[in-house]
Every structure is written in structure tokens, then in C-alpha cells.
Amino acid sequence: MTSKQKFPVSDVTATSGYFSALKATVETAFYGNNVQAVTTIAAAYALAKKAPGVIVTDLPVQHASELGLPEDARVLVANDGQVVGRTAAARRIIGQPGVDTAELTKIAREAVFAGTRKSFLSGHVVVGLSADFAVEAHLMVPETYANNLYTYLLNFQIKTPEATQQYEQSRPLPEDDLYLYADPDWHHPDYPDGLAIFDPLHNAAIILGLRYFGELKKGTLTLAWATAHRNGFVACHGGMKQYQRQDGTFTMAAFGLSGSGKSTITLTSHGDRYPVKVLHDDAFVIDRQTGATTALEPAYFDKTQDYPMSDPNTRYFLTVQNVGVTLDDHGKKTLVTQDIRNGNGRTVKSRYVTPNRVDHLVESVDAIFWIMKDDALPPVVKVEDPSLAAAFGATLATKRSTAENVRADVDREQLVIEPFANPFRSYPLGEDYQDFYDLFQQRGMACYILNTGFFQGQKVKPSDTLDAIAAIVDGTAAFKPFGPLPAMRYLSLPNFAVDFSNSAYRALLRQRLDDRLTFLADKATVADGYDRLPLAATQALEKVAAALVE
């Protein structure tokens, strides 16, 4: 059985390995007589326009006909209440230590039963936009949340006849489709923050009590990345673009959490120096055998914080979430962006915002950039040892952004470690470490750390980062030894002096390295060592830390 054929009628029981209690519960719900399938983007738009609370603005959708929308389609707005970001505390991964599978599947059955008393909509998309990697995904949501379904069908590739033909030509995978059930109105006294249950081995999820659209997007990617990981790909929460030099290409991948500068780094054109091709700014996979990359989504789910309505990028908004609406001087409904209403205002932008957009790159990645907000690091550091490069990825230090719904007592300025900038991983951390180590060791990819926060009290501006990347692409970047630290060099930039004679700076850098080592030690003991890393990762960081006290 492959992902391109359903089970043979005569032998469904032979496919039992593709099912679990949660998978059977979720997929079965799609076939209820309370579920209406939405098969075109135009039909989804018509339903979304009539959904409760949706605002039809007077902003036209650009490239409407190419997207399958009516020529007079307008940008839609839908706003949530108190929660306007992802709720990590709601996630439960079946198969991970400490997760009560029997209890969770019982809750899922009851939630689905309760849902049979109201009308749902379902949609069908493809995740993965090349013959190298593509899987089908199905989503069902209550009819009152039609805008979330419409947004989902815009964010991923809706299953059109053309998309179906391309999908049929893609690599067969020993997997079933992805199935996601969502009911934002669900409530349970034991789960006041909602509940998102994932069964990544069986490609199923149920997302309960969570309104934010990002839960649906990242929930789908959680399953897709797990599928890719099982089938010979490196799962990547990052941005990817390729520079077109006269002597060839330079392909780079940048990994960072929302708000780290990942989208800015990926989508900035550098057209004055090099033409670029953009793969995506959030989700892709790398083929372990060839190094080729595939985008998982055609559209971009982007913050509106940095987009005043005078910005030309706003012309490519399709749907918008958690922003204000006002009337312009002609009495037309327009947007109030820049996070005035709340943090983490969001939009789905069409692929047409990047005319240099591609869905697949056959050239292997030349360099991986870990994006951090660690004030102990200068703006650009080159890491020249594969074990150390992978260890820094596994201990990527950054700050929480407004894209995440966290407790009020959580300090968003506090440094946290998020391995490989991917809080959506659903398999042991050591497997990701090995994947990236192999990219550095066997495929010879270079590794850089980009600090996009502050260094020595000085803010690293986007222009500083972008100019530094361009110098790396040029081959003109002059790296210096990073003090006594082995296998590390830094790019000397104006206003960002590195002074190892400063004892306070050395102490800060040592503290940051110790924080990483503590993180790895904790991961080795928590949850039966589910996230234990190879000893080489710890040894690589210990060697660097020791150099600071010699």
C-alpha cells in the first residue's frame, strides 16, 4: 500500500498496521452525514464569506483567477479572542514517554461523538510540492469555522485536477494520508488550554479547543515532517533560498523560530547583487540521498507586525487573522496591522509575493545558518566541526515570540533552547541530530550561527545580517579566530567588536555554553532519555567551554 492508493476492498484487514485507535477515530469522522466536502477554493471562499464574525474587506485579492477564486474576491478577516498564538502546552504526542494513549483516545472518541451533532466541512490538500516528496492531507472543521478551512486550502495546495496529476507522478511512500479533525468549541475541565493529540506513526491528529489557525498549519506540518523523516528526508522548520552567481549557485537554509528574522532573511531578494530563487520561509524537507529540497506549502503564513498598509507586500494578502479593521477616507474597509489590536497578527500571503519563487531545488544545500538571539555571540560565527555544528543546532538559543501562547508569568526575553528551531518534532531528538550531522559531515555543508538579537548592547539590524550573508555568498567574508575557541571563527563587522580580554564577556560566553551543556544533560535523563544526544555532541561543546578557562 502506498500513499497513492486506498486499501483494497478485499483485504482491508491486511492494512491494520496503518491504523491505531486515534487514526480510526479521526478518519471515520470524515465520512459522517454531517460533513460536507469542499472541493474547490471558490466554494471555500463562498462559505468563509458567510461564516460568523468574518469581515469581507474592500481589499481585492491579487491573482484571484490564478488561485481559483472569483475575480471580485476580497481579503477576509477573522479574529480570535484572548489566545492569538500556538499553545504548546496543549500538545500530546502518542508514543512519547508519559503519554496515556488509552485515556487520550477515549477523550478523542467522546469529542468526535459530540461533534456529530453539528455540521462540519472537510477539505483535501497536498503537502509537498515536488515529485520528490508529496503527501495528501485531509482536514475537517465545524462549518462556523469555514474561514479556517478556506485559509488552510490557501496555505497548502488544494487538490485540484492539476495538483492531482502532479501528485500521482510523485514518489510512492509506504504511508496513508494525513487526517486532522478540529473542533475549536470543545471544552474539558481537565484541559483548560485545549488539547492537540498527535499520532505521527499513523498520520492522524485531533485538535480540540484551539481556535488559532496556526494550530492547523503546524499540526499538519507535524505529521508531514514525521512522514518525511521516516522516508529518507530531513525535516526542516526554516527558510531556504538560492543565490544565482556567475560561477554557479549558492543555496542556503536558515533555521529559526517565528520572530527570529527567518522570513526576512529568506524573502529579501538581494536583486542588486544576485538574482535569488526562494523555496519557502517556513517549511521544507531535504532529501538525505541527494541534498535536494522541496517546499511543503505554496503560500506564506506571515506576521503583519512589520507591514503598514503602505507596504507593497500587503497587496498579496489573502486572509488575515487577529488584526483590526477600519474605514479609509473613501469609506472602504481596510486593515489595521502592525499588532495594534494584539500581538501576532497574521496573514496568509500568496506565492505571488515572491516572483522568484520555486517549489523544488535539485542543487544540494551549501550552507546551514542557525538563527539565534544569544547576546554572547557576535552577529556571524562560522562553525567548522560537524559534531559542534550539529550540537549548536540541537541547542539553538533564542527567545519566545508572540506567535506562542504562553503563561503570563513566562518572560519572553528569557533565552530558551529549541532544538533545530522545531518545537513540532515528534520523534527522538537524537535522530534529528544525526540527520544534521550527516549533512555537515557527509555532504560537506558549511555551518554558520546568526545572532539576530543584541551583541555587547548593540542591536544586530536586519541589514547587518543580510550584508553579512551577501559577503559569505561573495566569498569576501573575512573570518577571524573566535578567541581561543576551537573550530569557531567570527566575521568582523563594524560596531560589533569581540574582546576576549574582557573577563565579563568571557564569563557570559562560558555561561551560555554551560547552559547548553545543562540542557543536554537534562535531556539525557528526562522522559527515559527520549531526547538523549550522542556523546559526541556534549564532548564538542565541552571542548569549546574548556578553552575559555585554559
Short mmCIF file of all heavy atoms in Angstrom, two decimals, residues 2 32 40 79 124 166 179 220-221 278 308 336 351 366 373 387 410 447 470 500 503-504 533 550:
data_model
loop_
_atom_site.label_atom_id
_atom_site.label_comp_id
_atom_site.label_asym_id
_atom_site.label_seq_id
_atom_site.Cartn_x
_atom_site.Cartn_y
_atom_site.Cartn_z
N THR A 2 0.55 2.20 -0.84
CA THR A 2 1.29 3.45 -0.88
C THR A 2 0.34 4.61 -0.64
O THR A 2 -0.88 4.44 -0.56
CB THR A 2 1.97 3.64 -2.26
OG1 THR A 2 0.97 4.00 -3.22
CG2 THR A 2 2.68 2.39 -2.71
N GLY A 32 -19.05 10.98 8.05
CA GLY A 32 -20.36 11.19 8.62
C GLY A 32 -21.26 12.02 7.73
O GLY A 32 -20.80 12.84 6.91
N THR A 40 -13.44 22.92 -4.04
CA THR A 40 -12.82 24.00 -4.81
C THR A 40 -12.54 25.18 -3.88
O THR A 40 -13.24 25.38 -2.88
CB THR A 40 -13.70 24.48 -5.98
OG1 THR A 40 -14.86 25.13 -5.45
CG2 THR A 40 -14.11 23.30 -6.86
N ASN A 79 -11.05 37.16 13.49
CA ASN A 79 -10.30 37.42 14.72
C ASN A 79 -10.68 36.47 15.83
O ASN A 79 -11.85 36.10 15.99
CB ASN A 79 -10.53 38.86 15.18
CG ASN A 79 -9.85 39.87 14.28
OD1 ASN A 79 -8.79 39.59 13.71
ND2 ASN A 79 -10.44 41.04 14.14
N HIS A 124 -9.24 18.95 1.27
CA HIS A 124 -8.26 17.96 0.82
C HIS A 124 -7.11 18.71 0.14
O HIS A 124 -7.33 19.48 -0.79
CB HIS A 124 -8.96 17.04 -0.19
CG HIS A 124 -8.19 15.83 -0.58
ND1 HIS A 124 -8.67 14.92 -1.50
CD2 HIS A 124 -6.97 15.36 -0.22
CE1 HIS A 124 -7.79 13.95 -1.66
NE2 HIS A 124 -6.75 14.22 -0.90
N GLN A 166 0.06 16.04 -10.75
CA GLN A 166 1.43 16.15 -10.28
C GLN A 166 1.69 15.19 -9.13
O GLN A 166 2.74 14.55 -9.06
CB GLN A 166 1.73 17.58 -9.85
CG GLN A 166 3.14 17.78 -9.30
CD GLN A 166 3.45 19.24 -8.99
OE1 GLN A 166 3.18 20.12 -9.79
NE2 GLN A 166 4.00 19.48 -7.81
N TYR A 179 -4.68 12.85 8.35
CA TYR A 179 -6.06 13.20 8.72
C TYR A 179 -6.04 14.05 9.99
O TYR A 179 -5.47 13.64 11.00
CB TYR A 179 -6.91 11.95 8.95
CG TYR A 179 -7.23 11.21 7.67
CD1 TYR A 179 -6.37 10.23 7.18
CD2 TYR A 179 -8.39 11.49 6.94
CE1 TYR A 179 -6.65 9.56 6.00
CE2 TYR A 179 -8.68 10.81 5.76
CZ TYR A 179 -7.81 9.85 5.30
OH TYR A 179 -8.08 9.19 4.13
N THR A 220 -0.55 20.04 10.79
CA THR A 220 -0.34 19.32 9.53
C THR A 220 1.14 19.11 9.27
O THR A 220 1.57 18.02 8.86
CB THR A 220 -0.99 20.10 8.36
OG1 THR A 220 -2.38 20.26 8.63
CG2 THR A 220 -0.80 19.37 7.04
N LEU A 221 1.94 20.16 9.50
CA LEU A 221 3.38 20.03 9.28
C LEU A 221 4.00 19.04 10.26
O LEU A 221 4.96 18.34 9.91
CB LEU A 221 4.04 21.40 9.40
CG LEU A 221 3.70 22.39 8.29
CD1 LEU A 221 4.30 23.76 8.58
CD2 LEU A 221 4.17 21.88 6.93
N VAL A 278 13.56 31.69 -4.27
CA VAL A 278 13.07 31.42 -2.92
C VAL A 278 12.29 30.11 -2.94
O VAL A 278 11.37 29.94 -3.73
CB VAL A 278 12.17 32.56 -2.42
CG1 VAL A 278 11.53 32.20 -1.08
CG2 VAL A 278 12.98 33.85 -2.28
N PRO A 308 2.88 47.97 7.45
CA PRO A 308 1.87 49.02 7.35
C PRO A 308 1.14 48.87 6.01
O PRO A 308 1.65 48.24 5.08
CB PRO A 308 2.70 50.30 7.40
CG PRO A 308 4.05 49.90 6.89
CD PRO A 308 4.25 48.49 7.35
N VAL A 336 -6.00 47.32 9.99
CA VAL A 336 -5.16 47.97 10.99
C VAL A 336 -4.13 46.93 11.40
O VAL A 336 -4.42 46.03 12.19
CB VAL A 336 -5.97 48.44 12.20
CG1 VAL A 336 -5.06 49.11 13.23
CG2 VAL A 336 -7.09 49.39 11.77
N ARG A 351 1.80 32.95 -3.06
CA ARG A 351 3.14 32.72 -3.59
C ARG A 351 3.58 33.84 -4.51
O ARG A 351 4.78 34.01 -4.77
CB ARG A 351 3.19 31.37 -4.31
CG ARG A 351 2.30 31.29 -5.55
CD ARG A 351 2.38 29.93 -6.22
NE ARG A 351 3.71 29.63 -6.66
CZ ARG A 351 4.35 28.48 -6.39
NH1 ARG A 351 3.74 27.54 -5.69
NH2 ARG A 351 5.57 28.27 -6.83
N ASP A 366 24.34 24.38 0.28
CA ASP A 366 25.74 24.72 0.52
C ASP A 366 26.02 25.07 1.97
O ASP A 366 27.11 24.79 2.48
CB ASP A 366 26.15 25.91 -0.37
CG ASP A 366 26.17 25.54 -1.84
OD1 ASP A 366 27.00 24.71 -2.23
OD2 ASP A 366 25.34 26.08 -2.60
N LYS A 373 19.18 34.24 19.17
CA LYS A 373 19.19 35.54 19.85
C LYS A 373 19.96 35.36 21.14
O LYS A 373 19.39 35.36 22.23
CB LYS A 373 17.76 36.04 20.08
CG LYS A 373 17.06 36.45 18.79
CD LYS A 373 15.78 37.20 19.04
CE LYS A 373 15.19 37.72 17.72
NZ LYS A 373 13.95 38.50 17.93
N SER A 387 30.42 17.79 14.40
CA SER A 387 29.77 17.48 15.67
C SER A 387 29.34 18.75 16.39
O SER A 387 28.24 18.83 16.96
CB SER A 387 30.72 16.67 16.56
OG SER A 387 30.99 15.40 16.01
N VAL A 410 5.61 33.84 32.09
CA VAL A 410 6.76 33.46 31.28
C VAL A 410 7.41 34.72 30.71
O VAL A 410 6.74 35.55 30.09
CB VAL A 410 6.37 32.51 30.14
CG1 VAL A 410 7.54 32.31 29.19
CG2 VAL A 410 5.91 31.17 30.71
N CYS A 447 28.48 25.53 8.11
CA CYS A 447 27.57 25.91 9.20
C CYS A 447 27.92 27.30 9.72
O CYS A 447 29.09 27.60 9.99
CB CYS A 447 27.66 24.90 10.34
SG CYS A 447 26.65 25.36 11.78
N ALA A 470 25.45 38.20 2.32
CA ALA A 470 25.89 38.51 0.96
C ALA A 470 27.41 38.39 0.84
O ALA A 470 27.93 37.91 -0.19
CB ALA A 470 25.44 39.91 0.56
N PHE A 500 38.08 39.27 23.85
CA PHE A 500 38.26 38.15 24.76
C PHE A 500 39.10 38.54 25.99
O PHE A 500 39.23 37.77 26.92
CB PHE A 500 38.89 36.96 24.04
CG PHE A 500 37.87 36.06 23.39
CD1 PHE A 500 37.42 36.31 22.10
CD2 PHE A 500 37.33 34.99 24.08
CE1 PHE A 500 36.48 35.49 21.51
CE2 PHE A 500 36.39 34.17 23.50
CZ PHE A 500 35.95 34.42 22.21
N SER A 503 36.89 40.10 30.85
CA SER A 503 36.53 38.95 31.68
C SER A 503 35.02 38.76 31.78
O SER A 503 34.54 37.62 31.86
CB SER A 503 37.14 39.08 33.07
OG SER A 503 36.66 40.26 33.70
N ALA A 504 34.27 39.88 31.77
CA ALA A 504 32.82 39.77 31.85
C ALA A 504 32.26 39.08 30.60
O ALA A 504 31.33 38.27 30.68
CB ALA A 504 32.20 41.15 32.02
N LEU A 533 21.18 12.84 23.33
CA LEU A 533 22.03 13.02 22.16
C LEU A 533 23.27 12.15 22.26
O LEU A 533 23.68 11.76 23.35
CB LEU A 533 22.45 14.48 22.02
CG LEU A 533 21.38 15.48 21.58
CD1 LEU A 533 22.00 16.85 21.37
CD2 LEU A 533 20.65 15.05 20.34
N GLU A 550 41.24 27.81 30.07
CA GLU A 550 42.63 27.38 29.99
C GLU A 550 43.57 28.58 30.05
O GLU A 550 43.22 29.68 29.64
CB GLU A 550 42.85 26.59 28.69
CG GLU A 550 42.14 25.24 28.70
CD GLU A 550 42.32 24.51 27.38
OE1 GLU A 550 42.90 25.08 26.42
OE2 GLU A 550 41.87 23.36 27.28
#
